């Protein structure tokens, strides 16, 4: 609801009033997003205690979600041209309420999911904070995961920069839909992941995929530097 209200803030309002109102709406929206919006596949963690079964659920769920997301990214940039493109407020006033309603409807499907993780609340190990912190700081995987998370975030930012480049610099909204075709390859990846992990181990597969993604990100930088997608 909050997201749907934002595009309807009158553009004729006095600048300070409009700024305060938009800031309040975006802040309120971000609070709800942080608390209640999560990756839809995160629920898999409480569906099954078996790691092999969870991996299958991640793969199957990823196929469905990835395919739908890819189709949306292809079609939406072409549809939004009909309402004036990304630079026309009408596009947001029309599409955001529709997409918000669809998201809420889909979210209700998760209500029926039953938790299958058994947790023992009676016996809880007593661990001192200082002792736990020392062991955590000595764990090399803790540092590797957090350092990787930083670079992963930059990869995500690169996608956003590329979209801004296509929309605001080249004024080619529809090309972002064509670029979305690349996302269809995630379906192939989800299908192949369990087999690849068994054959090459998870670490090796992850490293190869990361190197490939760095190469793709480098292509983004080249396109922006040359001011062209050719």
């Amino acid at each position: 609801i909050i997201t749907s209200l934002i595009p309807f803030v009158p553009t004729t309002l006095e600048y300070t009033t409009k700024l305060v109102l938009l800031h309040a709406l975006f802040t309120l929206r971000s609070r709800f997003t942080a608390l209640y919006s999560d990756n839809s596949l995160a629920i898999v963690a409480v569906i099954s205690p078996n790691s092999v079964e969870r991996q299958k659920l991640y793969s199957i769920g990823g196929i469905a979600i990835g395919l739908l997301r890819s189709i949306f990214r292809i079609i939406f940039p072409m549809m939004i041209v009909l309402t004036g493109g990304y630079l026309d407020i009408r596009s947001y006033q029309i599409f955001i309420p529709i997409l918000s309603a669809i998201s809420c409807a889909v979210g209700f499907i998760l209500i029926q999911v039953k938790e299958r993780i058994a947790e023992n609340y009676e016996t809880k190990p007593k661990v001192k904070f200082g002792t736990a912190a020392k062991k955590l700081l000595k764990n090399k995987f803790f540092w590797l995961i957090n350092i990787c998370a930083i670079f992963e975030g930059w990869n995500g930012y690169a996608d956003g920069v590329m979209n801004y480049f296509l929309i605001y610099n080249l004024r080619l909204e529809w090309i972002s839909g064509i670029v979305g075709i690349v996302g269809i390859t995630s379906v192939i990846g989800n299908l192949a992941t369990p087999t690849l992990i068994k054959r090459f181990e998870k670490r090796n597969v992850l490293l190869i995929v990361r190197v490939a993604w760095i190469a793709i990100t480098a292509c983004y930088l080249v396109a922006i530097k040359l001011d062209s997608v050719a």
Side-chain angles (χ1 to χ4, degrees), residues 9-223:
V9 173
T11 56
T12 55
L13 286 177
E14 194 271 328
Y15 178 79
T16 303
T17 304
K18 183 168 59 176
L19 179 63
V20 171
L21 182 57
L22 286 173
H23 182 271
L25 288 172
F26 273 104
T27 301
L28 188 60
R29 176 186 178 277
S30 65
R31 294 295 180 268
F32 279 98
T33 301
L35 292 173
Y36 303 110
S37 178
D38 201 350
N39 186 334
S40 54
L41 291 179
I43 199 170
V44 172
V46 299
I47 292 178
S48 173
N50 187 292
S51 60
V52 176
E53 186 178 0
R54 284 201 303 270
Q55 183 57 55
K56 290 181 179 179
L57 291 171
Y58 281 127
S59 297
I60 295 172
I63 292 170
I65 295 173
L67 182 60
L68 292 173
R69 185 184 294 121
S70 298
I71 293 173
F72 175 78
R73 287 178 176 174
I74 294 169
I75 296 175
F76 183 69
M78 300 178 184
M79 291 175 58
I80 203 170
V81 173
L82 301 175
T83 56
Y86 287 100
L87 301 181
D88 195 318
I89 190 64
R90 293 178 302 167
S91 300
Y92 301 93
Q93 292 174 341
I94 294 172
F95 286 105
I96 287 182
I98 294 173
L99 296 175
S100 298
I102 294 174
S103 298
C104 291
V106 173
F108 283 112
I109 297 174
L110 301 178
I111 294 177
Q112 300 299 323
V113 176
K114 295 182 179 180
E115 184 174 336
R116 293 169 53 192
I117 302 296
E119 187 173 351
N120 187 354
Y121 292 97
E122 295 181 359
T123 57
K124 294 183 179 180
K126 295 181 179 180
V127 181
K128 293 183 178 179
F129 176 80
T131 304
K134 288 180 181 178
K135 290 185 177 181
L136 180 63
L137 293 175
K138 291 180 181 179
N139 189 325
K140 63 180 181 181
F141 295 105
F142 168 77
W143 294 104
L144 287 172
I145 290 172
N146 282 277
I147 292 173
C148 288
I150 296 173
F151 288 99
E152 185 177 354
W154 282 106
N155 278 337
Y157 299 147
D159 286 341
V161 170
M162 192 62 184
N163 284 329
Y164 291 141
F165 173 67
L166 292 172
I167 295 169
Y168 299 106
N169 191 18
L170 299 183
R171 296 293 195 271
L172 298 172
E173 294 99 334
W174 60 272
I175 288 187
S176 60
I178 304 300
V179 174
I181 295 175
V182 178
I184 295 178
T185 56
S186 64
V187 176
I188 301 174
N190 286 319
L191 285 171
T193 295
T195 303
L196 292 174
I197 288 176
K198 288 181 180 179
R199 185 170 182 179
F200 301 107
E201 295 186 359
K202 185 175 181 180
R203 182 192 63 179
N204 297 332
V205 174
L206 183 62
L207 288 174
I208 293 172
V209 172
R210 290 298 185 190
V211 170
W213 188 242
I214 290 172
I216 294 172
T217 305
C219 292
Y220 289 175
L221 299 177
V222 173

